[in-house]
Each structure stands twice: as structure tokens, then as C-alpha cells.
Amino acid sequence: MKFEDPPPTPAPAQSASCEPTIEPCIVAPRRRKAPRDHGQFLAIPDLAEMPRSVERNRGDLAEWDFAPLGRPIHELRELARREALAAAVDYTQLLDSFIDCESGGSRNREISVPQENTELAQARLQDPSRPLIVSGHQPELFHCGVWVKNFVLDHMASAMNGIGLNLIIDNDALPISSIAVPVGGRDAPSIEQIPFAEVHGNPPWEEVRVCDEPLFRSFAERVTTVLSDWSLPPPLLNQMWPAACAVLDHHADQRAYLVNALTVARRAVERTCGLQNLELPISRLAGTEAFAWFVAWMLADVTTWHTAYNGAVESHRRTNRIRSVSHPVPNLIRDTQASGDERFEVPLWIWQTGASRRSRLFVRDNGVQLRLFAESEELATLPHPARTDPARTIASLRSLATEKQVKIRPRALTNTLFARVFLGDTFLHGIGGAKYDEITDQLIAKLCNIRKPPEFLTVTATFQLPLGAWDVKPADVAEMRHRLWDFDHNSERHIVPDNLPIDIRCESKLLLTERRQLIEEEQTKSSCLIKVPDVNKAGNLLRCRRLRDIRRRLAELVSTLRILPQTEWQLAQSRLVANTVLSSREFSIGLFSSDLPQQLAQILRQTKSASEK
């Protein structure tokens, strides 16, 4: 866009009164980069190819023959799927009971399979032989690029007569208990954080309860008030929040868990759209026998896991030229005590119920027992699974939470490693998770002796609030900045003497004439066959000085002509900064209009049709 003649009142690029029209398109995968423009959807592989990817995984999984702690992986996968699906059905029914309490039992019961509560439905949802597509995210009020995964999950399960399972990553730390809301107007927008809960420290999600009920209940109203300055449609949050408050009204413990409340808010909307995914928090998955077997397999040979984990992380850094030792995840620590004993950090979290923070899990192996430490504090002792019947270790691990209130949870890489190796037929990622799982691929290959790890899927979408983003791009600002530089260093290019004020018109003409003569003289001297070095050097020096003086004076004479491009550059630069807010794809789904779910469903339908052609 050119800014030579900016309009006095620029028209917004998008209407601020309604959602812009979506023109879905498939963005060609390029290093898994999120699409930039509103309504764009990224799928790797193409949406139409995803069922075939799942079938390839199922064929490859059927040929696996390794046995963690002597138990065949096929038995462990069947156990994990049976336990996870049973726990997911139970938890999903709990969530739907809150939704039905809020809606009086009339909210689309027929489209939510768990609500049927029949033996046939129960058996169908817990059939471990059906394709199981797994995804997951933290239980926050995330942006549309994350939410679209739930729509794809349901689409895939329906297309393959399978089951969509959404893992709620409640073992992560709660970084912030608020959402970002735009304020300040189109010319100078900024972000204000609107809190939905009061949280102290950096606790895991699963430990956080709603303690300040007035703050929580008034959240949607406060967000709507702030958004009113933008003349936007009523936000989706107004439909979501009554269901979230129902958790507080009907929970046995009035200080309800925040995870349940936020998940219910999202699921209440998904049910109205017909989504039938099951929900399961990692905290509940971690209580299964299959997960305990996974942990015991890890603890049985901590040195192998330690070496494989650090090797995969360092290989990823080399491949992607990452210098930071903490990115994407830090290396595991090998701690040698003064006594000569060694402790190995393993990629798990450990803490006791009610803790305000998670701790890294360290293990000391004395050959007979495994001593577990939360950082420096010893919390438990387990029989060594490689020296005794692994069932004893499994039983001890499962009793830790009930008897000692000790919780063991996976970290980022081991979270998806368990989901991909022990549980699902494929894992559906967003952009960030896909980057992490490049490391997980290496871990699976090394630890499971698998040449070809299961394929994972990647989807995301970009949706922007209709805040009227300015039609200016970084290239526009760079071009204007170069033009200003050219004014300062090549002023003669921009001088049109007849357009200058009459008092400097004559001087500019004389300077331009002299400059042209000096340049011609320079060219003549350079082409002369006989050269006198000393004379040429002195003459060149004089000409150089005079040309520099002329350039400086011409810049002064055209300074008034520079004002307009300077103003245009400053305006474009300020609008580019404003667009970091106006064009952000990170705003919570709760801020969008109530037809957002229909838009997401529409973009999937159109993208699938385009990819099938």
C-alpha cells in the first residue's frame, strides 16, 4: 500500500460490527508455520489424507514386538486403551451432568453419545479395537488455532468409526489465571488481562480450586464490559460461562476444581455443535495400571532413558541450530553426591497433594530399591522392577497417591510418548506440539527399537477478531524507511526545482548544474590516457569534498519535501505496531461471536473438499 496521499479518515480493513467473511484456503506446509491471515487452515497431512495416515499407523503398531519389563506392548496397549476409555467415559459423563444441570437437561442430549447411558453406547465408547485418535491441551481458554483440533478430532473419529479422545493436560503449571482482552481503540490498542481466578505461586492445574467465587462468576460480565468499546457482537463467553458456574453450584465441594469449570465451559458449546469427543485429564490417566507400568519401565533403567532423552534433545538442537540449553527443553541432570551415590533426573514430575509447585523427579538406584526424590526431598521407595516381580513395583506406584498423597506425572515429551506408544493410534498436534514431537520420534526409535515411529498429525487455524486491522505490511514500512534514507543520501533524485519555493529554486538549480559538471569532469579525468598521479589525486579530493557539500546542502533545501514521507513512515510504523494487537491470532475463543463454532466447522468442510479435488 502506498502512503503518498493518505486519506484523512482511513477505512477499516474489516468491519468492526460483524465477523468478516471467511474464504478458507489450504496453506502449503512450510516448516509447520501458522497461517497469517484470517480464516486460513493448516493441516499436515491434508485433511483427506489423515484417515490413511491413521490406518498406516494401525498396521505398523500391529507389527511391534518389544516388551516393556517383559510384558508385550500389545497387552499393554489393550490395557491402556481399556482403562483410559473407561475413565474418559466416566469423566465425560461428570462434565455433561454439570451442563445438564445448568440447562435443565434440555441441551441437545441426543447428540452427546455419553448421555445415552445405555449398555450399547458404553460398550461402543470403550471398545479398544476401534481407531483411537488422541489430542490434548492445557485446560485454558485457548485461541481458535487450538480449538480447531477438537473439531478435527471429532471429524476424524466420525470418518473412521473411531473414538476421539481429548487429553486435558492438567499436570502442567498454571502460568496465568486471566485472558488477554484488547483495549484502547484502533489507533493505539493495547492488552488488558482480565482474571477469572485468584492463584498464588505456580501450581499445577489439577491442584487449583475456585476460591474467589465472586471473581469467577463475574468474569464474563467484566470481559463483555471491556469489549464494549469495540462495538463487537456479544462474545461467546456469555454462552460458555453459565455452564462453568454450574460446576460451583452443583459440585460436592463448593470450592470446585478450576479444570472442571473451564472444561465444562468449552464442552457446553461443543455439545451444541454435535462434537462427541471424550475428555480425560492426565491426572486421571496417571492413576491407571498402564501408566504405572510405563513409569516402572522408565525407572527400571534410568541410565538408558537419561542418555536417550539428552541425546534426542541435543540432536534436535543441532539440527535446528538452537543455541539455548533450555530450549526446547533442558537436559536431564545427573547428580553425583559427596558419598559417591548418583541420582538421575527422569522426565517426570513429582509432588504431594496440595503443593504450590511441581518438582523434578530424581531416582537413586542401589540395585535393590529405587529411591524417589522431589528435587532433594526423598518421598518414596520402590522395589526395583528389574530385580523383582514388576507387579510389586506397579502396585507400589499406584498406592503412592492414595497412601502418601504423592503424585507422579509425565512431562511434555513423555506425555505424548505414552499417548503415542501405549494408548492411541495417532496423536493430533498443534504447531507447538508438533515441534516437540520431532524429539519424541527420536525417543520412540531409541527406546522402543522402532525404525518408524507412528505418524502424528498437525492442524491449526488463524482467526482474528474484527478489530479493523490496518492495511499495512512490514514491507511497506521498510520501503518507506528506505525512501527516507534516499532523501538524505541522494537528495538530487527528489528535487524538482519548479516545485520548490521561489527563494531556493535558483540555488537548487545552480547546485544541480555544478554537481553534474563535477561528475562529468570526474568521468573525463578517469578516461584520460595520460594520468598525473599527484594532480589527479588533488583534483579528486577537491571534487569529492565539493560533491559532499553539495549533497548536504541539497538535503537541507529539500527538507520540506521530506516532511510528508517522514509523516507517512511514522504513521505506517505506528499502524504496524497497532496490528500486533489488531491482527493477533492469540485471543481466546471466548472473545469471538457466538457463530465461531459454525465458522470452524465450515472451514473444515471447505478445506476437506478442496483437498479431495
Side-chain angles (χ1 to χ4, degrees):
M1 176 179 179
K2 301 298 182 182
F3 278 84
E4 281 76 13
D5 297 302
T9 306
Q14 299 174 352
S15 169
S17 60
C18 62
E19 294 285 350
T21 302
I22 299 177
E23 297 181 3
C25 66
I26 301 174
V27 180
R30 185 177 182 181
R31 299 185 65 183
R32 295 194 182 94
K33 187 175 182 180
R36 186 187 67 181
D37 297 329
H38 179 82
Q40 287 189 325
F41 175 74
L42 171 70
I44 306 175
D46 290 341
L47 203 59
E49 174 63 24
M50 286 185 177
R52 288 187 284 273
S53 174
V54 177
E55 290 299 338
R56 285 194 296 270
N57 279 357
R58 286 168 64 84
D60 293 341
L61 289 166
E63 297 178 0
W64 284 8
D65 61 357
F66 72 100
L69 294 179
R71 189 168 185 179
I73 187 60
H74 302 298
E75 290 185 13
L76 289 173
R77 279 181 57 81
E78 183 178 357
L79 173 65
R81 290 158 79 95
R82 188 170 61 248
E83 289 182 307
L85 291 175
V89 168
D90 181 66
Y91 182 73
T92 304
Q93 288 180 330
L94 172 66
L95 298 178
D96 287 346
S97 70
F98 293 133
I99 298 172
D100 288 334
C101 286
E102 180 270 325
S103 62
S106 61
R107 186 188 294 268
N108 290 358
R109 293 180 63 95
E110 70 278 6
I111 64 174
S112 183
V113 175
Q115 291 294 316
E116 295 175 7
N117 198 26
T118 64
E119 292 184 4
L120 178 62
Q122 293 282 341
R124 182 172 178 270
L125 284 170
Q126 298 182 48
D127 181 0
S129 66
R130 296 173 65 197
L132 180 59
I133 301 97
V134 184
S135 187
H137 202 272
Q138 293 81 2
E140 58 192 14
L141 297 170
F142 37 61
H143 61 81
C144 300
V146 175
W147 201 20
V148 76
K149 292 192 301 181
N150 293 34
F151 288 80
V152 175
L153 192 65
D154 178 78
H155 163 78
M156 290 281 293
S158 176
M160 302 191 67
N161 190 30
I163 302 171
L165 176 62
N166 180 56
L167 297 179
I168 303 166
I169 315 299
D170 62 344
N171 54 313
D172 270 7
L174 172 59
I176 185 170
S177 55
S178 61
I179 66 169
V181 180
V183 296
R186 187 170 177 242
D187 290 323
S190 59
I191 294 296
E192 181 177 341
Q193 294 290 337
I194 308 296
F196 52 78
E198 183 179 355
V199 178
H200 301 286
N202 195 28
W205 275 97
E206 64 177 278
E207 298 291 346
V208 179
R209 300 169 183 250
V210 178
C211 299
D212 190 338
E213 287 195 21
L215 179 71
F216 186 84
R217 293 181 185 275
S218 66
F219 175 61
E221 180 182 355
R222 287 183 284 115
V223 169
T224 303
T225 300
V226 173
L227 281 178
S228 62
D229 294 339
W230 295 94
S231 300
L232 297 174
L236 183 62
L237 193 63
N238 289 339
Q239 297 182 21
M240 301 169 64
W241 215 242
C245 294
V247 177
L248 276 63
D249 295 331
H250 301 282
H251 201 284
D253 181 352
Q254 289 303 309
R255 298 192 307 157
Y257 283 102
L258 183 61
V259 169
N260 294 343
L262 296 185
T263 304
V264 162
R266 167 180 56 79
R267 183 168 176 82
V269 177
E270 292 179 354
R271 279 183 60 183
T272 64
C273 303
L275 270 64
Q276 299 178 5
N277 299 323
L278 295 177
E279 308 278 350
L280 180 63
I282 291 295
S283 56
R284 295 195 175 209
L285 180 65
T288 62
E289 179 185 349
F291 184 80
W293 206 282
F294 171 67
V295 173
W297 175 43
M298 189 183 308
L299 300 181
D301 193 356
V302 292
T303 56
T304 298
W305 273 82
H306 193 276
T307 302
Y309 186 98
N310 286 351
V313 172
E314 290 168 359
S315 173
H316 180 81
R317 290 197 192 111
R318 287 193 301 270
T319 302
N320 295 275
R321 300 180 180 179
I322 299 172
R323 295 184 178 181
S324 171
V325 295
S326 60
H327 184 76
V329 292
N331 284 16
L332 300 177
I333 297 174
R334 183 175 182 175
D335 182 19
T336 303
Q337 305 293 304
S339 61
D341 293 332
E342 288 186 316
R343 298 189 315 158
F344 289 86
E345 181 185 0
V346 293
L348 296 168
W349 297 112
I350 186 171
W351 71 86
Q352 289 186 294
T353 301
S356 60
R357 59 179 293 271
R358 306 170 298 176
S359 296
R360 295 173 297 168
L361 174 59
F362 285 81
V363 178
R364 180 176 295 162
D365 182 353
N366 62 13
V368 178
Q369 292 179 322
L370 298 172
R371 299 169 62 187
L372 309 186
F373 296 81
E375 307 288 350
S376 58
E377 179 185 3
E378 185 171 355
L379 292 184
T381 301
L382 301 174
H384 201 300
R387 307 289 185 270
T388 184
D389 184 358
R392 290 185 54 202
T393 307
I394 306 303
S396 298
L397 277 170
R398 300 189 71 186
S399 68
L400 286 180
T402 55
E403 296 180 5
K404 297 186 177 181
Q405 301 297 302
V406 174
K407 299 181 178 182
I408 297 177
R409 302 290 185 262
R411 280 156 71 165
L413 299 182
T414 46
N415 219 342
T416 52
L417 193 151
F418 177 79
R420 293 173 63 191
V421 173
F422 280 68
L423 186 58
D425 293 312
T426 195
F427 199 94
L428 179 64
H429 275 300
I431 295 292
K435 292 179 180 177
Y436 269 88
D437 250 16
E438 293 174 0
I439 307 175
T440 313
D441 278 346
Q442 297 186 51
L443 279 175
I444 294 174
K446 293 179 181 179
L447 296 168
C448 306
N449 194 27
I450 301 298
R451 292 183 57 189
K452 182 185 176 184
E455 298 176 13
F456 58 83
L457 314 174
T458 307
V459 297
T460 192
T462 291
F463 274 69
Q464 299 157 343
L465 288 172
L467 304 178
W470 299 101
D471 187 13
V472 57
K473 303 295 187 293
D476 299 329
V477 178
E479 180 183 349
M480 294 175 186
R481 184 179 180 85
H482 178 75
R483 186 181 177 198
L484 289 175
W485 179 91
D486 203 52
F487 257 100
D488 296 333
H489 295 82
N490 300 290
S491 303
E492 68 282 353
R493 297 180 184 176
H494 305 277
I495 291 180
V496 180
D498 293 340
N499 294 338
L500 293 172
I502 192 169
D503 55 335
I504 62 174
R505 186 180 302 169
C506 182
E507 182 182 0
S508 66
K509 288 183 177 180
L510 291 173
L511 289 172
L512 287 173
T513 300
E514 183 182 0
R515 178 182 179 278
R516 185 167 57 253
Q517 291 173 347
L518 289 171
I519 293 175
E520 290 175 354
E521 183 181 339
E522 174 79 23
Q523 293 172 345
T524 301
K525 294 291 185 182
S526 299
S527 62
C528 185
L529 296 177
I530 302 175
K531 299 181 180 180
V532 182
D534 293 338
V535 175
N536 285 347
K537 183 176 181 180
N540 289 342
L541 181 59
L542 290 174
R543 276 191 300 274
C544 181
R545 289 176 178 175
R546 181 55 184 160
L547 284 170
R548 185 167 58 244
D549 292 340
I550 291 174
R551 183 173 63 247
R552 186 182 301 113
R553 179 56 182 161
L554 286 173
E556 293 172 358
L557 293 178
V558 299
S559 59
T560 55
L561 300 179
R562 191 183 186 278
I563 294 175
L564 180 59
Q566 171 78 19
T567 303
E568 293 173 350
W569 171 68
Q570 291 174 341
L571 178 62
Q573 192 174 41
S574 67
R575 289 176 174 178
L576 193 63
V577 172
N579 276 355
T580 60
V581 174
L582 301 175
S583 299
S584 174
R585 67 185 298 268
E586 302 296 325
F587 286 121
S588 167
I589 57 175
L591 304 186
F592 288 79
S593 63
S594 58
D595 64 345
L596 174 63
Q598 288 72 30
Q599 293 185 48
L600 289 172
Q602 174 192 2
I603 205 174
L604 289 186
R605 287 194 299 270
Q606 297 188 12
T607 303
K608 182 175 182 293
S609 298
S611 63
E612 288 176 340
K613 292 179 180 178

